[in-house]
Structure formats: C-alpha cells, structure tokens
C-alpha cells in the first residue's frame, strides 16, 4: 500500500450494551492512545450501544470516576444506539464482547461484516471480551480499564501496521 492509499481519516466505533460503561470508556482510552501515537487528529472515535435505553445520558458515574482517576474524561459523551448507517460510516466497529459482536453481525450488511471485531489480545493472538462492570463493585471498573488500555493499544498497533497511520 502506498502512502496515497492511506485514508485521511480512520473512524472507529466501540459498542457495548447501553453505551454507558464499557464503550464510552473504550472511546476515551482509544482517543488517548491515538493522540499518544501522534495520529489522533486523523482518527474519529465514537461509541454506541446495542440498546438505546440510555440514549442522551452521560456515562455511568462510576465509569466516569474510575476513568478520571486514570486521566480520561467521559463527561461530555452521551449515549446513543447503534444505527444502520454506522456500518457504512465507520471503518472499524469494535464489540466489547461476543454477544455484541453477534448482534452487530446480524444487523450489519453482509458486505460490511469485515469491519466488525473484538479487541485484540495484548500478549497473544486472540481477542479480549470486556465484562460488564455495571452490576459489580469498584474493582470491575478498574478491570475494564486495564483490559481497555491493553486492548486499545494493541488495536492501535494493528491499525497502524495495516494503514500506516
């Protein structure tokens, strides 16, 4: 691939159930990773939920608090549901777990399913499933951040190699 083939922008959508815990956190983490790599201005990052239950609401306060302690700010984000046009608009759609990936595969036009994935594992081939911290205690939110920091770094490496960002 020559430099002229590299897209001017890369767009990534992170998807969880309601877009109030995992995916907004992933959005903030990936945005920070892209910025650290020096290509943040070329990347559009967003998040959405499989369900629209929380549309218009900010991320869960616990997600915001735990993210803020690590330097990520989520307060400006608002929940929304995945829309059909997201499959066309985004280059990569990252599901937080296999149930989200399955739902995305069912909704996605067949010719665009190559855009769907889980987070890549940080140390070995494979993928990471990010558990929902909503019904658990504070440790769950920290665990989610640990997984997202490692997974988003690996995702950035994979995209950088593929797209030469």
């Amino acid at each position: 691939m020559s430099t002229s083939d590299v897209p001017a922008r890369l767009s990534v959508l992170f998807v969880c159930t309601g877009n109030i815990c995992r995916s907004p956190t992933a959005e903030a983490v990936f945005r920070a990773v892209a910025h650290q790599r020096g290509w943040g201005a070329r990347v559009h990052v967003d998040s959405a939920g499989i369900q629209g239950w929380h549309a218009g609401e900010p991320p869960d306060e616990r997600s915001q608090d735990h993210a803020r302690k690590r330097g990520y700010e989520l307060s400006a984000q608002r929940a929304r549901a995945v829309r059909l046009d997201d499959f066309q608009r985004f280059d990569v759609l990252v599901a937080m777990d296999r149930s989200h990936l399955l739902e995305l595969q069912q909704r996605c036009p067949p010719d665009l399913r190559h855009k769907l994935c889980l987070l890549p594992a940080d140390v070995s081939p494979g993928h990471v499933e990010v558990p929902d911290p909503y019904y658990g205690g504070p440790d769950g939110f920290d665990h989610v951040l640990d997984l997202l920091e490692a997974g988003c770094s690996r995702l950035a490496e994979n995209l950088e190699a593929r797209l030469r960002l």
Side-chain angles (χ1 to χ4, degrees):
M1 171 165 40
S2 72
T3 321
S4 61
D5 294 331
V6 176
R9 286 183 72 91
L10 169 71
S11 55
V12 180
L13 181 69
F14 291 94
V15 179
C16 70
T17 305
N19 193 213
I20 60 169
C21 292
R22 293 172 282 179
S23 58
T25 304
E27 176 186 341
V29 170
F30 190 78
R31 188 174 286 119
V33 168
H35 179 74
Q36 290 165 355
R37 290 177 171 271
W39 41 267
R42 295 182 62 198
V43 177
H44 171 71
V45 186
D46 197 1
S47 61
I50 293 293
Q51 305 297 334
W53 302 319
H54 300 284
E57 295 177 17
D60 184 281
E61 284 294 329
R62 298 165 297 171
S63 288
Q64 290 190 56
D65 292 342
H66 286 266
R68 195 173 294 115
K69 289 175 187 171
R70 295 201 193 183
Y72 307 110
E73 186 54 55
L74 311 182
S75 62
Q77 296 181 32
R78 293 297 175 263
R80 71 175 185 86
V82 172
R83 299 182 303 256
L84 186 57
D85 70 336
D86 287 334
F87 298 107
Q88 183 67 42
R89 291 183 13 198
F90 288 91
D91 299 307
V92 181
L93 291 86
V94 184
M96 295 292 101
D97 66 33
R98 291 190 193 286
S99 70
H100 303 133
L101 182 60
L102 180 60
E103 183 66 32
L104 290 172
Q105 289 169 336
Q106 291 172 351
R107 295 183 190 186
C108 185
D111 61 326
L112 299 176
R113 288 186 186 144
H114 66 280
K115 297 180 175 189
L116 309 177
C117 68
L118 291 168
L119 277 175
D122 63 332
V123 292
S124 61
H127 298 93
V128 174
E129 288 197 63
V130 181
D132 191 350
Y134 189 81
Y135 295 105
D139 290 347
F141 291 89
D142 285 327
H143 181 60
V144 163
L145 277 159
D146 292 341
L147 291 172
L148 291 174
E149 286 175 338
C152 285
S153 289
R154 181 54 59 122
L155 178 64
E157 287 173 21
N158 292 351
L159 293 173
E160 190 169 51
R162 188 175 84 191
L163 301 174
R164 289 202 228 159
L165 288 169

